[in-house]
Amino acid sequence: MNKEDIITLEDNVEYMVLDTAELNHDKYLYCVQIDEEEMPKSEYKYFKEINEDGNLFTEEVEDENILEALTAMFALNVLNSITDEEQDV
């Protein structure tokens, strides 16, 4: 899964992928819940991408240690993108 992909959970709630990161050889997704018009809501979650025989699934991250590491990684990604944009001006 990549940035801006839409994930539909079993309960038909949809999330848009805002960013991706790799941690301990696993891929993680930072996502925001979207409404039926694909507008962001106030619910943000981290998911782990699971690839089983070419089929992609997601699992919500609940481990506090992994959540802390992902929060730091995704915050750094945002800071780096802001720095890159400033240098392009």
Side-chain angles (χ1 to χ4, degrees):
M1 292 176 211
N2 300 301
K3 289 182 183 179
E4 298 185 16
D5 284 353
I6 305 295
I7 299 168
T8 304
L9 303 182
E10 290 177 357
D11 57 2
N12 289 323
V13 176
E14 292 186 325
Y15 286 84
M16 178 184 290
V17 178
L18 298 175
D19 203 355
T20 63
E22 191 170 310
L23 178 67
N24 299 327
H25 306 290
D26 290 318
K27 186 173 183 179
Y28 290 91
L29 314 168
Y30 176 51
C31 301
V32 62
Q33 185 178 349
I34 55 173
D35 63 19
E36 36 307 311
E37 293 156 5
E38 295 189 4
M39 295 301 297
K41 296 176 90 173
S42 60
E43 181 80 25
Y44 294 84
K45 291 189 177 183
Y46 296 112
F47 294 99
K48 178 179 177 181
E49 181 181 280
I50 301 168
N51 187 339
E52 291 181 4
D53 301 322
N55 295 313
L56 295 178
F57 301 94
T58 58
E59 176 181 276
E60 186 175 350
V61 177
E62 296 180 359
D63 181 295
E64 289 298 323
N65 293 324
I66 293 175
L67 287 171
E68 285 182 26
L70 292 174
T71 299
M73 290 174 69
F74 287 121
L76 185 59
N77 286 352
V78 169
L79 291 173
N80 285 337
S81 70
I82 290 170
T83 302
D84 290 345
E85 288 174 11
E86 289 175 352
Q87 291 177 358
D88 289 341
V89 174

PDB file of all heavy atoms in Angstrom, residues 6 14-16 18 31-44:
ATOM      1  N   ILE A   6      -6.688   3.990  -0.389  1.00  0.00           N
ATOM      2  CA  ILE A   6      -7.830   3.905   0.512  1.00  0.00           C
ATOM      3  C   ILE A   6      -7.938   2.474   1.021  1.00  0.00           C
ATOM      4  O   ILE A   6      -7.881   1.522   0.252  1.00  0.00           O
ATOM      5  CB  ILE A   6      -9.148   4.289  -0.201  1.00  0.00           C
ATOM      6  CG1 ILE A   6      -9.046   5.667  -0.843  1.00  0.00           C
ATOM      7  CG2 ILE A   6     -10.334   4.191   0.761  1.00  0.00           C
ATOM      8  CD1 ILE A   6      -8.868   6.814   0.115  1.00  0.00           C
ATOM      9  N   GLU A  14     -13.557   3.595   6.139  1.00  0.00           N
ATOM     10  CA  GLU A  14     -12.455   3.803   5.208  1.00  0.00           C
ATOM     11  C   GLU A  14     -11.399   4.732   5.788  1.00  0.00           C
ATOM     12  O   GLU A  14     -11.714   5.708   6.481  1.00  0.00           O
ATOM     13  CB  GLU A  14     -12.979   4.383   3.888  1.00  0.00           C
ATOM     14  CG  GLU A  14     -13.829   3.404   3.113  1.00  0.00           C
ATOM     15  CD  GLU A  14     -14.213   3.934   1.747  1.00  0.00           C
ATOM     16  OE1 GLU A  14     -14.442   5.151   1.603  1.00  0.00           O
ATOM     17  OE2 GLU A  14     -14.279   3.114   0.812  1.00  0.00           O
ATOM     18  N   TYR A  15     -10.144   4.409   5.462  1.00  0.00           N
ATOM     19  CA  TYR A  15      -8.987   5.212   5.867  1.00  0.00           C
ATOM     20  C   TYR A  15      -8.137   5.493   4.643  1.00  0.00           C
ATOM     21  O   TYR A  15      -8.000   4.641   3.762  1.00  0.00           O
ATOM     22  CB  TYR A  15      -8.139   4.461   6.897  1.00  0.00           C
ATOM     23  CG  TYR A  15      -8.761   4.404   8.268  1.00  0.00           C
ATOM     24  CD1 TYR A  15      -9.698   3.430   8.589  1.00  0.00           C
ATOM     25  CD2 TYR A  15      -8.412   5.337   9.242  1.00  0.00           C
ATOM     26  CE1 TYR A  15     -10.279   3.384   9.853  1.00  0.00           C
ATOM     27  CE2 TYR A  15      -8.976   5.295  10.495  1.00  0.00           C
ATOM     28  CZ  TYR A  15      -9.913   4.327  10.791  1.00  0.00           C
ATOM     29  OH  TYR A  15     -10.477   4.302  12.036  1.00  0.00           O
ATOM     30  N   MET A  16      -7.535   6.690   4.623  1.00  0.00           N
ATOM     31  CA  MET A  16      -6.583   7.032   3.576  1.00  0.00           C
ATOM     32  C   MET A  16      -5.182   6.958   4.167  1.00  0.00           C
ATOM     33  O   MET A  16      -4.945   7.436   5.277  1.00  0.00           O
ATOM     34  CB  MET A  16      -6.825   8.439   3.039  1.00  0.00           C
ATOM     35  CG  MET A  16      -5.804   8.850   1.968  1.00  0.00           C
ATOM     36  SD  MET A  16      -5.992  10.556   1.407  1.00  0.00           S
ATOM     37  CE  MET A  16      -7.516  10.404   0.503  1.00  0.00           C
ATOM     38  N   LEU A  18      -1.696   8.183   4.771  1.00  0.00           N
ATOM     39  CA  LEU A  18      -1.001   9.468   4.732  1.00  0.00           C
ATOM     40  C   LEU A  18       0.501   9.298   4.566  1.00  0.00           C
ATOM     41  O   LEU A  18       1.166  10.140   3.966  1.00  0.00           O
ATOM     42  CB  LEU A  18      -1.277  10.256   6.013  1.00  0.00           C
ATOM     43  CG  LEU A  18      -2.735  10.618   6.274  1.00  0.00           C
ATOM     44  CD1 LEU A  18      -2.872  11.287   7.633  1.00  0.00           C
ATOM     45  CD2 LEU A  18      -3.266  11.518   5.181  1.00  0.00           C
ATOM     46  N   CYS A  31      -2.645   6.478   8.916  1.00  0.00           N
ATOM     47  CA  CYS A  31      -3.876   6.683   8.169  1.00  0.00           C
ATOM     48  C   CYS A  31      -4.846   7.615   8.886  1.00  0.00           C
ATOM     49  O   CYS A  31      -4.833   7.723  10.112  1.00  0.00           O
ATOM     50  CB  CYS A  31      -4.588   5.347   7.968  1.00  0.00           C
ATOM     51  SG  CYS A  31      -3.605   4.122   7.100  1.00  0.00           S
ATOM     52  N   VAL A  32      -5.709   8.241   8.092  1.00  0.00           N
ATOM     53  CA  VAL A  32      -6.789   9.072   8.612  1.00  0.00           C
ATOM     54  C   VAL A  32      -8.110   8.505   8.099  1.00  0.00           C
ATOM     55  O   VAL A  32      -8.211   8.095   6.941  1.00  0.00           O
ATOM     56  CB  VAL A  32      -6.631  10.553   8.202  1.00  0.00           C
ATOM     57  CG1 VAL A  32      -6.677  10.748   6.689  1.00  0.00           C
ATOM     58  CG2 VAL A  32      -7.676  11.420   8.889  1.00  0.00           C
ATOM     59  N   GLN A  33      -9.102   8.479   8.982  1.00  0.00           N
ATOM     60  CA  GLN A  33     -10.424   8.023   8.577  1.00  0.00           C
ATOM     61  C   GLN A  33     -11.030   9.073   7.648  1.00  0.00           C
ATOM     62  O   GLN A  33     -10.842  10.278   7.847  1.00  0.00           O
ATOM     63  CB  GLN A  33     -11.325   7.836   9.799  1.00  0.00           C
ATOM     64  CG  GLN A  33     -12.676   7.252   9.446  1.00  0.00           C
ATOM     65  CD  GLN A  33     -13.546   7.036  10.685  1.00  0.00           C
ATOM     66  OE1 GLN A  33     -13.088   7.135  11.809  1.00  0.00           O
ATOM     67  NE2 GLN A  33     -14.798   6.737  10.466  1.00  0.00           N
ATOM     68  N   ILE A  34     -11.741   8.615   6.619  1.00  0.00           N
ATOM     69  CA  ILE A  34     -12.364   9.539   5.667  1.00  0.00           C
ATOM     70  C   ILE A  34     -13.865   9.282   5.613  1.00  0.00           C
ATOM     71  O   ILE A  34     -14.337   8.183   5.923  1.00  0.00           O
ATOM     72  CB  ILE A  34     -11.737   9.419   4.264  1.00  0.00           C
ATOM     73  CG1 ILE A  34     -11.799   7.983   3.751  1.00  0.00           C
ATOM     74  CG2 ILE A  34     -10.316   9.947   4.270  1.00  0.00           C
ATOM     75  CD1 ILE A  34     -11.352   7.816   2.309  1.00  0.00           C
ATOM     76  N   ASP A  35     -14.594  10.306   5.176  1.00  0.00           N
ATOM     77  CA  ASP A  35     -16.033  10.152   5.027  1.00  0.00           C
ATOM     78  C   ASP A  35     -16.351   9.679   3.607  1.00  0.00           C
ATOM     79  O   ASP A  35     -15.441   9.389   2.817  1.00  0.00           O
ATOM     80  CB  ASP A  35     -16.777  11.442   5.393  1.00  0.00           C
ATOM     81  CG  ASP A  35     -16.438  12.616   4.491  1.00  0.00           C
ATOM     82  OD1 ASP A  35     -15.922  12.420   3.369  1.00  0.00           O
ATOM     83  OD2 ASP A  35     -16.699  13.766   4.919  1.00  0.00           O
ATOM     84  N   GLU A  36     -17.649   9.639   3.270  1.00  0.00           N
ATOM     85  CA  GLU A  36     -18.041   9.116   1.957  1.00  0.00           C
ATOM     86  C   GLU A  36     -17.575   9.985   0.800  1.00  0.00           C
ATOM     87  O   GLU A  36     -17.504   9.533  -0.344  1.00  0.00           O
ATOM     88  CB  GLU A  36     -19.522   8.836   1.859  1.00  0.00           C
ATOM     89  CG  GLU A  36     -20.607   9.653   2.506  1.00  0.00           C
ATOM     90  CD  GLU A  36     -20.570   9.964   3.977  1.00  0.00           C
ATOM     91  OE1 GLU A  36     -20.368   9.105   4.841  1.00  0.00           O
ATOM     92  OE2 GLU A  36     -20.763  11.137   4.275  1.00  0.00           O
ATOM     93  N   GLU A  37     -17.206  11.235   1.068  1.00  0.00           N
ATOM     94  CA  GLU A  37     -16.678  12.119   0.031  1.00  0.00           C
ATOM     95  C   GLU A  37     -15.152  12.192   0.068  1.00  0.00           C
ATOM     96  O   GLU A  37     -14.547  13.104  -0.490  1.00  0.00           O
ATOM     97  CB  GLU A  37     -17.294  13.510   0.198  1.00  0.00           C
ATOM     98  CG  GLU A  37     -18.785  13.500  -0.090  1.00  0.00           C
ATOM     99  CD  GLU A  37     -19.522  14.644   0.596  1.00  0.00           C
ATOM    100  OE1 GLU A  37     -18.875  15.500   1.223  1.00  0.00           O
ATOM    101  OE2 GLU A  37     -20.757  14.641   0.510  1.00  0.00           O
ATOM    102  N   GLU A  38     -14.536  11.252   0.797  1.00  0.00           N
ATOM    103  CA  GLU A  38     -13.086  11.133   0.954  1.00  0.00           C
ATOM    104  C   GLU A  38     -12.468  12.350   1.642  1.00  0.00           C
ATOM    105  O   GLU A  38     -11.308  12.694   1.411  1.00  0.00           O
ATOM    106  CB  GLU A  38     -12.404  10.837  -0.384  1.00  0.00           C
ATOM    107  CG  GLU A  38     -12.787   9.490  -0.951  1.00  0.00           C
ATOM    108  CD  GLU A  38     -11.978   9.073  -2.160  1.00  0.00           C
ATOM    109  OE1 GLU A  38     -11.044   9.786  -2.564  1.00  0.00           O
ATOM    110  OE2 GLU A  38     -12.292   7.999  -2.696  1.00  0.00           O
ATOM    111  N   MET A  39     -13.243  12.984   2.508  1.00  0.00           N
ATOM    112  CA  MET A  39     -12.743  14.093   3.305  1.00  0.00           C
ATOM    113  C   MET A  39     -12.259  13.548   4.645  1.00  0.00           C
ATOM    114  O   MET A  39     -12.905  12.671   5.228  1.00  0.00           O
ATOM    115  CB  MET A  39     -13.834  15.147   3.535  1.00  0.00           C
ATOM    116  CG  MET A  39     -14.288  15.822   2.239  1.00  0.00           C
ATOM    117  SD  MET A  39     -12.962  16.663   1.345  1.00  0.00           S
ATOM    118  CE  MET A  39     -12.484  17.909   2.517  1.00  0.00           C
ATOM    119  N   PRO A  40     -11.135  14.053   5.158  1.00  0.00           N
ATOM    120  CA  PRO A  40     -10.585  13.541   6.426  1.00  0.00           C
ATOM    121  C   PRO A  40     -11.502  13.829   7.609  1.00  0.00           C
ATOM    122  O   PRO A  40     -12.129  14.877   7.686  1.00  0.00           O
ATOM    123  CB  PRO A  40      -9.267  14.281   6.585  1.00  0.00           C
ATOM    124  CG  PRO A  40      -9.067  15.078   5.370  1.00  0.00           C
ATOM    125  CD  PRO A  40     -10.308  15.082   4.573  1.00  0.00           C
ATOM    126  N   LYS A  41     -11.536  12.872   8.514  1.00  0.00           N
ATOM    127  CA  LYS A  41     -12.234  13.046   9.782  1.00  0.00           C
ATOM    128  C   LYS A  41     -11.158  13.220  10.861  1.00  0.00           C
ATOM    129  O   LYS A  41      -9.993  13.421  10.540  1.00  0.00           O
ATOM    130  CB  LYS A  41     -13.130  11.837  10.039  1.00  0.00           C
ATOM    131  CG  LYS A  41     -14.248  11.700   8.985  1.00  0.00           C
ATOM    132  CD  LYS A  41     -15.056  10.460   9.175  1.00  0.00           C
ATOM    133  CE  LYS A  41     -16.226  10.771  10.092  1.00  0.00           C
ATOM    134  NZ  LYS A  41     -17.158   9.641  10.196  1.00  0.00           N
ATOM    135  N   SER A  42     -11.516  13.106  12.115  1.00  0.00           N
ATOM    136  CA  SER A  42     -10.545  13.356  13.187  1.00  0.00           C
ATOM    137  C   SER A  42      -9.950  12.071  13.770  1.00  0.00           C
ATOM    138  O   SER A  42      -9.289  12.109  14.795  1.00  0.00           O
ATOM    139  CB  SER A  42     -11.194  14.181  14.293  1.00  0.00           C
ATOM    140  OG  SER A  42     -12.298  13.479  14.829  1.00  0.00           O
ATOM    141  N   GLU A  43     -10.141  10.955  13.117  1.00  0.00           N
ATOM    142  CA  GLU A  43      -9.646   9.663  13.609  1.00  0.00           C
ATOM    143  C   GLU A  43      -8.393   9.268  12.827  1.00  0.00           C
ATOM    144  O   GLU A  43      -8.432   9.077  11.612  1.00  0.00           O
ATOM    145  CB  GLU A  43     -10.732   8.596  13.424  1.00  0.00           C
ATOM    146  CG  GLU A  43     -10.366   7.228  13.913  1.00  0.00           C
ATOM    147  CD  GLU A  43     -10.514   7.081  15.420  1.00  0.00           C
ATOM    148  OE1 GLU A  43     -11.304   7.813  16.024  1.00  0.00           O
ATOM    149  OE2 GLU A  43      -9.825   6.216  15.969  1.00  0.00           O
ATOM    150  N   TYR A  44      -7.268   9.140  13.548  1.00  0.00           N
ATOM    151  CA  TYR A  44      -5.997   8.726  12.949  1.00  0.00           C
ATOM    152  C   TYR A  44      -5.562   7.413  13.585  1.00  0.00           C
ATOM    153  O   TYR A  44      -5.699   7.231  14.790  1.00  0.00           O
ATOM    154  CB  TYR A  44      -4.916   9.784  13.187  1.00  0.00           C
ATOM    155  CG  TYR A  44      -5.194  11.084  12.468  1.00  0.00           C
ATOM    156  CD1 TYR A  44      -6.040  12.042  13.031  1.00  0.00           C
ATOM    157  CD2 TYR A  44      -4.622  11.350  11.233  1.00  0.00           C
ATOM    158  CE1 TYR A  44      -6.305  13.239  12.368  1.00  0.00           C
ATOM    159  CE2 TYR A  44      -4.875  12.535  10.577  1.00  0.00           C
ATOM    160  CZ  TYR A  44      -5.718  13.471  11.151  1.00  0.00           C
ATOM    161  OH  TYR A  44      -5.975  14.652  10.489  1.00  0.00           O
TER     162      TYR A  44
END
